[in-house]
Amino acid sequence: DTAVSQTPKYLVTQMGNDKSIKCEQNLGHDTMYWYKQDSKKFLKIMFSYNNKELIINETVPNRFSPKSPDKAHLNLHINSLELGDSAVYFCASSPRVASGAEQYFGPGTRLTVT
Amino acid sequence: AQSVAQPEDQVNVAEGNPLTVKCTYSVSGNPYLFWYVQYPNRGLQFLLKYITGDNLVKGSYGFEAEFNKSQTSFHLKKPSALVSDSALYFCAVRDAIAGTASKLTFGTGTQLKVEL
């Protein structure tokens, strides 16, 4: 069973479009995250949810909107896509917030904006 | 603000030789320290962590890391490298007392290349 899954794995779209990436974890974790990995492999947190509540919101453009319908799911919707949004987006989860527990990462969604 | 430095973009080592991937950190309080590995076109996999206790922590695939508080370092080591260890390695830190807003900060990654 896949612990943290993301769909789609690849996403190619044109500038100005709106797209969504979905994430699901079957680990029973309370906390979920979205990270962005750029072309230089630099990894930066975007958002974090704990039991469906937004607890971390980094300096991310308003075009990015996360939604957590329940604690097992965290989706990322991106409006008006720009070339600079091209990156790999990783979802992750951990048992609880503010702890020493490690995070479990999904396989990533490679977004290419043309 | 917390930060992590991985001073080497790439480390090359011969198979069978020991390897070290360096990491130094900066946090306000006590650190929780982690090492992750990323294989091509894959997500990050957890290797090991330091929370408290023994400064030498052992993890997956024969890796270990030593926490050194005075040098604010958490170097990753393995006594005998394998070609299959070739991957991108990330060190990460979070502040143990930062509360619910505590976040994991990653280093820039070190590409490990193990050659025959």
Side-chain angles (χ1 to χ4, degrees):
Chain A
D1 283 344
T2 304
V4 182
S5 59
Q6 295 179 229
T7 53
K9 189 171 175 62
Y10 299 97
L11 188 52
V12 180
T13 188
Q14 292 184 328
M15 285 174 50
N17 285 349
D18 303 338
K19 291 292 178 185
S20 292
I21 306 171
K22 295 185 176 181
C23 177
E24 177 181 1
Q25 55 96 0
N26 63 6
L27 298 166
H29 289 171
D30 287 345
T31 311
M32 296 185 72
Y33 311 83
W34 278 112
Y35 287 89
K36 179 180 180 181
Q37 186 174 46
D38 63 21
S39 58
K40 295 186 178 180
K41 306 295 186 183
F42 185 65
L43 200 64
K44 193 174 189 315
I45 190 166
M46 300 173 69
F47 303 102
S48 176
Y49 271 75
N50 185 57
N51 274 324
K52 302 192 297 175
E53 179 187 353
L54 180 65
I55 56 171
I56 293 176
N57 185 350
E58 289 294 283
T59 50
V60 177
N62 291 337
R63 300 181 293 104
F64 290 79
S65 55
K67 283 188 173 53
S68 181
D70 55 62
K71 74 175 192 177
H73 296 84
L74 179 61
N75 304 323
L76 183 66
H77 187 76
I78 315 170
N79 290 324
S80 303
L81 278 154
E82 301 178 357
L83 293 176
D85 298 331
S86 295
V88 181
Y89 293 84
F90 287 103
C91 177
S93 72
S94 65
R96 54 203 170 276
V97 71
S99 72
E102 61 270 24
Q103 296 180 12
Y104 294 76
F105 283 76
T109 296
R110 183 175 295 275
L111 172 64
T112 303
V113 183
T114 61
Chain B
Q2 61 195 40
S3 65
V4 176
Q6 292 182 244
E8 302 152 318
D9 289 337
Q10 182 160 318
V11 169
N12 296 321
V13 65
E15 188 174 53
N17 283 0
L19 69 87
T20 299
V21 182
K22 296 179 180 178
C23 171
T24 58
Y25 67 89
S26 174
V27 291
S28 301
N30 291 322
Y32 290 151
L33 292 156
F34 303 82
W35 275 102
Y36 288 84
V37 60
Q38 185 178 26
Y39 296 98
N41 300 314
R42 303 283 295 275
L44 277 71
Q45 296 178 30
F46 168 74
L47 275 180
L48 51 79
K49 65 182 178 183
Y50 172 82
I51 304 302
T52 187
D54 286 343
N55 290 341
L56 184 64
V57 293
K58 294 186 184 295
S60 307
Y61 312 120
F63 284 93
E64 58 188 31
E66 186 164 13
F67 170 62
N68 187 317
K69 188 172 183 177
S70 62
Q71 296 185 2
T72 61
S73 66
F74 189 56
H75 301 329
L76 181 70
K77 300 183 179 186
K78 187 174 182 181
S80 179
L82 298 172
V83 171
S84 57
D85 293 330
S86 299
L88 185 60
Y89 290 80
F90 289 97
C91 181
V93 67
R94 84 187 301 170
D95 192 330
I97 62 170
T100 57
S102 171
K103 62 183 180 182
L104 199 59
T105 297
F106 285 85
T108 50
T110 298
Q111 185 70 46
L112 174 67
K113 188 174 181 181
V114 182
E115 298 165 311
L116 289 170

